[in-house]
Amino acid sequence: MKNKDMKNKYLVAVSRFHNMVLLGISNQPLSIWIPEDEKRWHMDYEFHISCIWRIRQKDTIIAGYQDIYTEIDEDGRIVEEETESGTAEGNARGRTLFEKNIFGKMSSDWPLKILGFYESEVGDIRIEMEKGYCFEAFPTSSVEERLEEWRFIDVICKRHYVWPKEKQRRLLLLDKDNTDFSQLLEMILQEMIQEEDIMVISAGICQGEKLSKRVLESGRCWYGVDLEGVNRIHRVNMEEAYDYVVPIGVPLPENKGIFLEEILNYQKYVTTGDESRKELENMGKEICEAIGCDYEISDKCREKREKELKKYKDLLGI
């Protein structure tokens, strides 16, 4: 994540699920009401924090990690201060100091414009907002193979940023403008690849203006989904590193250093614009074999992909 990506977006909601705090971030300054017993909402970005955190307004702490473990009675008075090994998961929602402070002190100021978003080398997060608000999170475990401390989700692009960083291999499908062949092949590979540690990304040397007719028709035919409302067209990020790159009919960018390993070269491959799904699957199998991962095309895989796309279709209201 980068500071410039989150700057000028809006914090529009704060809630929790058991002992995990949830931040809802939107591209627009939405004014929404989140009831204290609501566990889910739809945002452009979701931030799930399990490590130690606090929200302050200038020099005053508005809410903090320990508030989740501090039970209150119906009058808002502290009943019992529990430790982290206590039963916060069992506390009724709306009966901890967290709900009192968030919904009693902070929620009236939502939405809050984000002025700065910073991540340190050890996973610390600081989100600076208007009106003097600041959210801070602090991973504290020294265990190398520790549990997830926080997860930032770009809901629309379907990208997850996790601390500690996931040991995930990244495969880039690169074509001219990311509006045609690479998007279709990405959909096929997302069905085929059985290993969760491989992320398939399609992008273009340039960024196209809109999805091709072929991609839209394939989405409707294969999955029953209007991909125009689900997919975004991407231009390759020269600052990111990829474990594998598959250039399709295009030369690699001059800065080859962004790629850790070039595995296949389809520069001589010329798409006809009407390749069958079977031809795409055969190409996908070749890619899977080249990177040494398990693959399978089955009704179960297709049903899973259809459900994933339907979820984003429903989320976007399309």
Side-chain angles (χ1 to χ4, degrees):
M1 292 182 297
K2 299 177 182 177
N3 174 43
K4 63 182 180 181
D5 295 332
M6 286 295 106
K7 192 174 181 180
N8 295 326
K9 300 189 187 307
Y10 296 85
L11 177 75
V12 298
V14 180
S15 188
R16 74 174 175 96
F17 181 70
H18 295 312
N19 61 347
M20 179 173 66
V21 66
L22 311 174
L23 306 186
I25 298 174
S26 173
N27 291 318
Q28 303 297 327
L30 303 176
S31 295
I32 63 175
W33 178 69
I34 301 294
E36 295 181 16
D37 61 350
E38 183 61 56
K39 298 180 181 179
R40 300 180 62 185
W41 63 74
H42 292 157
M43 300 288 167
D44 294 311
Y45 309 90
E46 293 185 5
F47 206 176
H48 302 174
I49 300 97
S50 301
C51 62
I52 294 174
W53 60 272
R54 70 184 178 203
I55 298 174
R56 59 182 174 88
Q57 187 176 32
K58 297 182 179 179
D59 60 352
T60 301
I61 295 178
I62 300 299
Y65 176 82
Q66 196 61 37
D67 291 352
I68 291 175
Y69 301 92
T70 304
E71 191 175 358
I72 60 175
D73 61 20
E74 294 180 355
D75 296 322
R77 294 174 297 194
I78 295 176
V79 174
E80 180 181 356
E81 189 168 322
E82 299 175 357
T83 64
E84 188 172 347
S85 60
T87 59
E89 290 83 354
N91 288 347
R93 291 189 59 79
R95 295 294 300 276
T96 74
L97 198 56
F98 171 88
E99 279 78 20
K100 178 182 179 181
N101 290 338
I102 293 297
F103 297 105
K105 297 179 180 180
M106 186 184 183
S107 60
S108 60
D109 285 330
W110 299 338
L112 291 167
K113 189 174 184 178
I114 295 176
L115 307 178
F117 192 111
Y118 308 94
E119 177 190 350
S120 77
E121 294 179 350
V122 293
D124 294 349
I125 292 291
R126 187 172 82 256
I127 306 175
E128 296 177 354
M129 295 165 278
E130 61 184 344
K131 301 182 182 180
Y133 281 100
C134 183
F135 173 86
E136 297 165 308
F138 315 94
T140 57
S141 176
S142 63
V143 179
E144 183 176 354
E145 298 296 332
R146 60 189 185 272
L147 297 176
E148 181 178 306
E149 306 262 20
W150 54 257
R151 176 179 294 261
F152 186 91
I153 305 171
D154 184 330
V155 176
I156 306 301
C157 291
K158 301 170 284 185
R159 292 186 177 180
H160 292 227
Y161 304 88
V162 180
W163 188 269
K165 294 181 179 179
E166 295 177 316
K167 296 178 180 178
Q168 188 174 54
R169 290 177 287 169
R170 293 159 57 84
L171 189 156
L172 174 68
L173 303 170
L174 184 66
D175 63 4
K176 182 180 178 181
D177 55 15
N178 191 222
T179 60
D180 198 307
F181 196 87
S182 61
Q183 292 232 1
L184 293 174
L185 191 55
E186 177 188 350
M187 288 190 287
I188 290 291
L189 280 168
Q190 285 177 334
E191 282 185 351
M192 297 178 70
I193 293 177
Q194 301 298 298
E195 300 179 28
E196 295 183 358
D197 70 334
I198 297 180
M199 176 185 292
V200 182
I201 304 162
S202 66
I205 296 292
C206 303
Q207 183 167 325
E209 295 182 0
K210 60 182 180 179
L211 289 172
S212 70
K213 181 179 179 181
R214 181 181 175 220
V215 171
L216 296 176
E217 289 179 348
S218 297
R220 286 190 287 267
C221 178
W222 298 355
Y223 306 106
V225 173
D226 182 1
L227 295 177
E228 190 169 23
V230 178
N231 279 22
R232 287 186 175 182
I233 302 171
H234 298 287
R235 180 175 182 173
V236 65
N237 186 346
M238 298 298 183
E239 299 177 2
E240 293 185 342
Y242 303 92
D243 295 276
Y244 314 109
V245 59
V246 183
I248 305 169
V250 295
L252 284 173
E254 293 182 2
N255 181 13
K256 291 186 180 181
I258 63 172
F259 306 121
L260 302 184
E261 181 181 357
E262 180 182 348
I263 60 158
L264 293 174
N265 193 325
Y266 284 101
Q267 292 184 35
K268 295 181 180 179
Y269 185 89
V270 178
T271 173
T272 64
D274 60 359
E275 287 81 6
S276 68
R277 181 164 180 157
K278 188 65 176 178
E279 288 175 310
L280 289 168
E281 289 178 1
N282 289 336
M283 189 173 177
K285 289 178 183 178
E286 187 177 348
I287 292 172
C288 290
E289 290 171 350
I291 65 178
C293 76
D294 295 330
Y295 62 89
E296 179 186 3
I297 285 289
S298 65
D299 291 339
K300 184 177 180 181
C301 292
R302 288 188 177 129
E303 288 173 4
K304 179 181 178 183
R305 182 65 177 145
E306 288 170 0
K307 288 179 181 178
E308 289 174 351
L309 287 170
K310 185 178 186 300
K311 180 181 71 172
Y312 288 103
K313 175 183 176 182
D314 293 343
L315 185 151
L316 294 170
I318 57 177

